[in-house]
């Protein structure tokens, strides 16, 4: 990458005197709090994990009512043999026994009740395992090929300088989204996020095909992913700059959307360990199990995850709850790394949401942003603009967005989601977006070098505040570690919303493994011997520009 | 940018000298400063100057000199049709190849007749949390039960959480904080039949529904669906309250609900409304004076964007 960039490719400037013992303890506590969750995720599966296996094996399409074949087939297996052994063993056994040409034909017969599923034993089991493993190896190879294609595209075009400018499109119609996304890229956007239709996170299936109807967003579908990535490839070549594509994995179908994102070469994915629980009332167990498998796929696909800590500050006070952001980031880091993500794939989130009426609000923002920067020096941090205190005074909002951009530049943030002065009033007008880009371009050009001279006084206000937040984070992590993460979530620790472990949507889709549970995709993703040559954290690092 | 010759001083004086005071017989004489003015016009820097600023985008290019001249002429034409005359294009900028953004200052020819302004009055007094609790205790003699939800496809719980969560909103604690209110927050994407059933099971006195998503007027359709479902469920339905940034309080009757709260509503307004409406006031000294001081004019009745 070019000189003057900030981010994972260069050593982060140390500006604070953080207590190294506190940092070590915080990570250790996060590991301790997360470990039981990982143990649970290792011994359980979900309907969406199993459907993702079928998607990776190439099953796509839907019946005449729009219900995807993966749902039909997984449901049929669940009703006959259950999913305790995984979907793969009964499915490939039936495929071999019935001499089916492909999974789609099997799914159609299964819906018509013409297939007798069983959990095979002996030689039949061996044959089914072999066939399934071969099918899944093919699917993972397609993800590997897309990862290589991304690297080739970046070589052919170029890697944008950081901070990357992240812009949202959300018309509901993929064919309207495409020209808007291309226009945004031409105006300077480095990352295009297509906001999903608002209902999608709670759908227990992934809709099919190109879609032209959505509510406050566009459905995430495999075909929409493909169309948008192709359009951004065109504009990337035109601009000589690789424009990334982002969508949202969080929700009831996290593993499946992760699989589709890998197959269609999305570059980043919203994937938070607790967002679905806190803000969408999805069952905590379901979320954590789905999350682990989805992140294993992201890790393989070279996708950067974006976590959703900014959301906590929209419901809680950004000063009082600053430490909950750090706690969630540490948990996201632990879960992410456990699933195989490299530091360079951890787009941990935070936000500029302190009430501007608070004295020294901007200085507090600098302290929080610099704390996060130094705690995660190798992570491509995603910094979110003000939303809560955008009052409708668009002129004051434009000023606040400029201060957000300035904080982002001064503290070497990696990805800036561009704030709109009309936040909270309407979906951005074309001109709102253009003015927002003008704002960030001005700040980046005018103050890009300010970071090199920004050195808070040791023991001064910023230094003290950062250490104070870190200390509060350690205290909260101790409590979570003692009482257990699921209990802490049930108590309303995050986002002031109480979410009991057996509440929320999707619990009925959680299944404990039986002896001999078989998931050939997970076997490949967890087996270091079967990784690509050079497919290591350092390869992931080179993907984003090291 | 526009040609310098075409530009005026932003927000400054009009190039036209005979601008202020005399509206040219088109309208009643604007009142003098200090009088109880019934007819007013916008104030730039001088009484009666009528000066305003607007910005908009037109789907026309701003590339060649002739395209620029045409674009600015188009902007001035629109301004004139909006009642801005004379107007100045103080800023024009191409956005991509096909669009131009304008900032226009001008003198608006329209007058505002204050006697024709319709004010939505708050029909209930704002009470403190202690007063709300007292009123419920004395008037109802039990806890007031509130069931809240986002209905339809709307998964944005920010609004309902801001009103219901202890944490609240805008420095005010949410309804969970009120000792005499029992809150059941059903969260997001609740189906209307489930909401009706749960409200009956909980013995809800009031149902609060928040709607953020407004594409294709989903908020209006959802509110009507809810109101008719409760209407069909029986004669004794709970108080129905909807809220969201794009609701207009004037829609109350057409939606079939009892109360609509727009953008900027705070928890104490909702709590006050519930206590005032559901708890009889006989024993409540706070409501003894029902004639004069209690109902307050709500100058925020027109939320931002509601008339856009």
């Amino acid at each position: 990458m070019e000189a003057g960039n900030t981010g994972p490719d260069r050593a982060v400037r140390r500006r604070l005197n953080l207590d190294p013992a506190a940092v070590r303890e915080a990570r250790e506590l996060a590991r301790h709090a997360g470990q039981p969750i990982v143990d649970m995720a290792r011994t359980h599966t979900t309907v969406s994990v199993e459907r993702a296996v079928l998607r990776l094996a190439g099953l796509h399409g839907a019946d005449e009512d729009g219900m995807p074949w993966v749902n039909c087939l997984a449901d049929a297996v669940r009703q006959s043999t259950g999913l305790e052994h995984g979907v793969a063993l009964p499915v490939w056994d039936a495929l071999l026994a019935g001499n089916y040409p492909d999974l789609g034909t099997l799914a159609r017969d299964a819906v018509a009740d013409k297939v007798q599923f069983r959990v095979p034993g002996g030689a039949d089991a061996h044959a089914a395992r072999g066939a399934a493993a071969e099918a899944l190896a093919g699917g993972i190879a397609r993800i590997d090929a897309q990862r290589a294609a991304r690297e080739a595209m970046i070589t052919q075009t170029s890697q944008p300088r950081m901070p990357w400018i992240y812009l949202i499109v959300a018309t509901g119609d993929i064919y309207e989204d495409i020209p808007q996304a291309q226009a945004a890229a031409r105006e300077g956007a480095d990352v295009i996020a297509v906001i999903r239709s608002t209902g999608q996170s709670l759908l227990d299936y992934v809709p099919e095909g190109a879609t032209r109807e959505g509510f406050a967003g566009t459905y995430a579908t495999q075909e929409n992913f493909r169309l948008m990535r192709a359009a951004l490839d065109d504009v990337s070549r035109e601009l000589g700059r690789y424009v990334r594509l982002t969508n949202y994995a969080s929700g009831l179908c996290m593993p499946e959307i992760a699989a589709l994102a890998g197959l269609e070469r999305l570059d980043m994915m919203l994937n938070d360990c607790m967002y679905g629980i806190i803000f969408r009332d999805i069952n905590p167990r379901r979320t954590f199990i789905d999350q682990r498998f989805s992140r294993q796929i992201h890790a393989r696909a070279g996708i950067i995850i974006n976590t959703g800590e900014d959301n906590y500050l929209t419901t809680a006070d950004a000063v009082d709850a600053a430490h909950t952001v750090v706690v969630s980031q540490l948990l996201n880091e632990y879960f992410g790394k456990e699933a195989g993500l490299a530091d360079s794939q951890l787009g941990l989130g935070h936000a500029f949401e302190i009430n501007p009426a608070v004295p020294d609000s901007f200085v507090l923002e600098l302290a929080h942003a610099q704390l996060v920067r130094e705690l995660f020096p190798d992570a491509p941090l995603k910094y979110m603009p003000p939303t809560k205190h955008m009052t409708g005074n668009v002129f004051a909002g434009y000023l606040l967005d400029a201060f957000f951009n300035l904080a982002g530049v001064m503290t070497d943030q990696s990805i800036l989601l561009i704030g709109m002065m009309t936040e909270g009033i309407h979906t951005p007008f074309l001109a709102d977006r253009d003015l927002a880009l003008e704002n960030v371009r001005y700040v980046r050009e005018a103050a890009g070098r300010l970071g090199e001279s920004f050195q808070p006084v040791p023991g001064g206000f910023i230094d003290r505040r950062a250490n104070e937040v870190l200390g509060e984070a350690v205290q909260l992590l101790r409590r979570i570690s003692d009482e257990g993460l699921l209990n802490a979530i049930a108590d309303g620790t995050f986002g002031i919303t109480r979410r009991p472990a057996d509440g929320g949507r999707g619990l009925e889709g959680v299944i404990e493994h039986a002896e001999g549970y078989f998931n050939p995709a997970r076997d490949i993703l967890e087996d270091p011997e079967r990784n690509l040559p050079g497919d290591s954290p350092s390869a992931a690092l080179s993907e984003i520009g090291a | 940018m526009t040609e310098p010759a075409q530009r005026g001083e932003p927000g400054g004086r009009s190039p036209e000298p005979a601008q202020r005071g005399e509206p040219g017989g088109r309208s009643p004489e604007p009142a003098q400063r200090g009088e109880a003015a019934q007819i007013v016009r916008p104030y730039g820097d001088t009484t009666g100057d009528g000066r305003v600023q607007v910005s908009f985008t037109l789907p026309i290019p701003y590339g060649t000199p002739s395209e620029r001249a045409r674009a600015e002429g188009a902007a001035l034409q629109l301004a004139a049709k909006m009642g801005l005359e004379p107007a100045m294009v103080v800023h024009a900028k191409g956005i991509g190849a096909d669009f131009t953004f304008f900032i226009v200052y001008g003198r608006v020819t329209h007058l505002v007749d204050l006697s024709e302004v319709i004010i939505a009055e708050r029909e209930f007094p704002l009470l403190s949390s202690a007063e709300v609790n007292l009123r419920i205790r004395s008037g109802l003699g039990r806890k007031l039960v509130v069931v809240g939800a986002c209905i339809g496809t709307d998964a944005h719980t920010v609004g309902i959480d801001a009103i219901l969560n202890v944490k609240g909103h805008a420095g005010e604690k949410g309804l969970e904080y009120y000792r005499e209110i029992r809150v059941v927050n059903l969260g997001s994407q609740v189906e209307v039949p489930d909401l009706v059933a749960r409200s009956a099971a909980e013995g809800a006195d009031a149902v609060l529904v928040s709607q953020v998503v407004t594409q294709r007027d989903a908020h209006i359709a959802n509110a009507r669906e809810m109101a008719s479902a409760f209407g069909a469920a029986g004669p004794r339905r709970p108080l129905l309250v909807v809220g969201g940034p794009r609701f207009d309080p004037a829609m109350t009757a057409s939606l079939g609900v009892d109360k609509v709260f727009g953008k900027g509503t705070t928890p104490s307004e909702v709590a006050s409304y519930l206590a005032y409406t559901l708890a009889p006031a006989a024993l409540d000294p706070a409501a003894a004076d029902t004639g004069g001081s209690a109902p307050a004019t709500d100058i925020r009745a027109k939320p931002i964007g509601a008339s856009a």
Side-chain angles (χ1 to χ4, degrees), chain A residues 163-313:
Chain A
W164 292 342
I165 294 173
Y166 180 117
L167 262 179
I168 288 168
V169 297
T171 70
D173 179 346
I174 187 66
Y175 294 106
E176 284 287 337
D177 289 342
I178 284 172
Q180 288 208 11
Q182 290 181 319
R186 290 187 185 104
E187 293 292 317
D190 300 308
V191 181
I192 299 294
V194 181
I195 292 259
R196 281 190 303 182
S197 181
T198 189
Q200 191 168 359
S201 53
L202 292 175
L203 296 180
D204 211 342
Y205 65 93
V206 182
E208 278 286 325
T211 63
R212 310 199 67 164
E213 291 275 320
F215 292 95
T218 307
Y219 284 103
T221 73
Q222 182 166 13
E223 179 63 5
N224 288 347
F225 285 0
R226 190 188 67 77
L227 288 168
M228 184 60 89
R229 185 58 264 172
L232 292 183
D233 278 352
D234 289 344
V235 81
S236 296
R237 287 190 200 95
E238 171 193 319
L239 299 170
R241 166 169 61 86
Y242 187 66
V243 180
R244 284 178 165 76
L245 176 59
T246 300
N247 211 291
Y248 299 71
S250 300
L252 280 170
C253 293
M254 223 188 293
E256 293 175 85
I257 292 183
L260 299 177
L263 292 169
E264 300 301 339
R265 191 173 21 101
L266 269 69
D267 305 283
M268 312 205 314
M269 274 267 145
L270 276 284
N271 183 316
D272 187 86
C273 67
M274 293 187 288
Y275 175 82
I277 303 169
I278 307 294
F279 295 95
R280 294 290 180 256
D281 199 12
I282 295 174
N283 176 261
R285 295 180 208 278
R286 169 75 176 262
T287 298
F288 284 120
I289 299 161
D290 282 347
Q291 174 214 187
R292 181 166 186 266
F293 189 59
S294 69
R295 288 182 173 188
Q296 289 178 323
I297 298 171
H298 291 328
R300 182 73 174 212
I303 283 175
I304 297 173
I305 66 162
N306 293 173
T307 60
E309 283 81 0
D310 50 288
N311 292 288
Y312 301 133
L313 303 184

Side-chain angles (χ1 to χ4, degrees), chain A residues 206-480:
Chain A
V206 182
E208 278 286 325
T211 63
R212 310 199 67 164
E213 291 275 320
F215 292 95
T218 307
Y219 284 103
T221 73
Q222 182 166 13
E223 179 63 5
N224 288 347
F225 285 0
R226 190 188 67 77
L227 288 168
M228 184 60 89
R229 185 58 264 172
L232 292 183
D233 278 352
D234 289 344
V235 81
S236 296
R237 287 190 200 95
E238 171 193 319
L239 299 170
R241 166 169 61 86
Y242 187 66
V243 180
R244 284 178 165 76
L245 176 59
T246 300
N247 211 291
Y248 299 71
S250 300
L252 280 170
C253 293
M254 223 188 293
E256 293 175 85
I257 292 183
L260 299 177
L263 292 169
E264 300 301 339
R265 191 173 21 101
L266 269 69
D267 305 283
M268 312 205 314
M269 274 267 145
L270 276 284
N271 183 316
D272 187 86
C273 67
M274 293 187 288
Y275 175 82
I277 303 169
I278 307 294
F279 295 95
R280 294 290 180 256
D281 199 12
I282 295 174
N283 176 261
R285 295 180 208 278
R286 169 75 176 262
T287 298
F288 284 120
I289 299 161
D290 282 347
Q291 174 214 187
R292 181 166 186 266
F293 189 59
S294 69
R295 288 182 173 188
Q296 289 178 323
I297 298 171
H298 291 328
R300 182 73 174 212
I303 283 175
I304 297 173
I305 66 162
N306 293 173
T307 60
E309 283 81 0
D310 50 288
N311 292 288
Y312 301 133
L313 303 184
T314 62
T315 49
D317 180 82
V319 175
D320 296 346
H323 64 293
T324 67
V325 167
V326 173
V327 167
S328 173
Q329 288 166 335
L330 287 161
L331 291 168
N332 266 309
E333 178 192 49
Y334 167 72
F335 289 128
K337 287 190 162 182
E338 192 282 327
L341 291 165
D343 282 315
S344 58
Q345 290 176 285
L346 294 175
L348 300 172
H350 60 131
F352 187 100
E353 290 281 19
I354 298 174
N355 186 344
V358 169
D360 297 311
S361 66
F362 181 70
V363 192
L364 288 164
E365 296 283 13
L366 288 175
H368 296 179
Q370 186 61 32
L371 169 64
V372 175
R373 179 69 282 172
E374 292 195 23
L375 281 177
F376 308 99
D378 300 317
L381 299 178
K382 181 184 175 202
Y383 198 30
M384 303 285 284
T387 59
K388 195 176 172 185
H389 299 287
M390 300 298 273
T391 58
N393 178 348
V394 294
F395 305 102
Y398 199 66
L399 177 63
L400 201 59
D401 280 335
F403 269 60
F404 159 73
N405 291 330
L406 182 60
V409 166
M410 285 176 71
T411 59
D412 307 326
Q413 302 299 314
S414 313
I415 302 165
L416 291 183
L417 195 148
I418 299 307
M420 297 292 153
M421 64 186 188
T422 47
E423 172 72 39
I425 301 175
H426 51 232
T427 49
F429 288 175
L430 185 73
D432 300 336
R433 203 176 279 144
D434 192 70
L435 287 163
L437 285 162
E438 189 172 333
N439 187 329
V440 71
R441 273 199 303 268
Y442 166 70
V443 173
R444 204 162 65 164
E445 296 308 314
R449 279 178 186 282
L450 189 55
E452 72 183 39
S453 302
F454 169 47
Q455 188 60 57
V457 178
F461 183 83
I462 289 177
D463 200 32
R464 287 201 313 273
R465 175 60 187 164
N467 274 295
E468 180 182 38
V469 173
L470 177 60
E472 289 171 4
V474 169
Q475 277 184 11
L476 177 56
L477 278 164
R478 280 192 198 123
R479 179 162 82 71
I480 294 170

Side-chain angles (χ1 to χ4, degrees), chain A residues 170-172 187 198-202 212-217 279-281 314-317 320 391-392 395 424-426 430-431 434-435 438 441 495-498 505, chain B residues 53 56-57 91 93-96 99 101 153-158 161 165-169 176 185-191 213-216 218 245-246 263 304-305:
Chain A
T171 70
E187 293 292 317
T198 189
Q200 191 168 359
S201 53
L202 292 175
R212 310 199 67 164
E213 291 275 320
F215 292 95
F279 295 95
R280 294 290 180 256
D281 199 12
T314 62
T315 49
D317 180 82
D320 296 346
T391 58
F395 305 102
I425 301 175
H426 51 232
L430 185 73
D434 192 70
L435 287 163
E438 189 172 333
R441 273 199 303 268
I496 322 176
T497 320
R498 292 184 178 83
R505 299 195 183 200
Chain B
Q53 173 259 313
F56 52 84
T57 302
H91 175 73
K93 176 180 178 274
I95 302 180
F99 295 90
F101 174 63
T153 59
D154 196 341
H156 292 81
T157 58
V158 174
D161 288 342
N165 275 355
V166 172
K167 186 65 189 179
H169 172 59
E176 285 180 340
N185 187 350
L186 301 181
S188 64
Q189 299 189 327
V190 177
E191 302 291 342
V213 173
T214 59
Q215 267 186 9
R216 286 175 250 283
R246 298 305 299 269
K263 187 182 171 97
I304 293 160

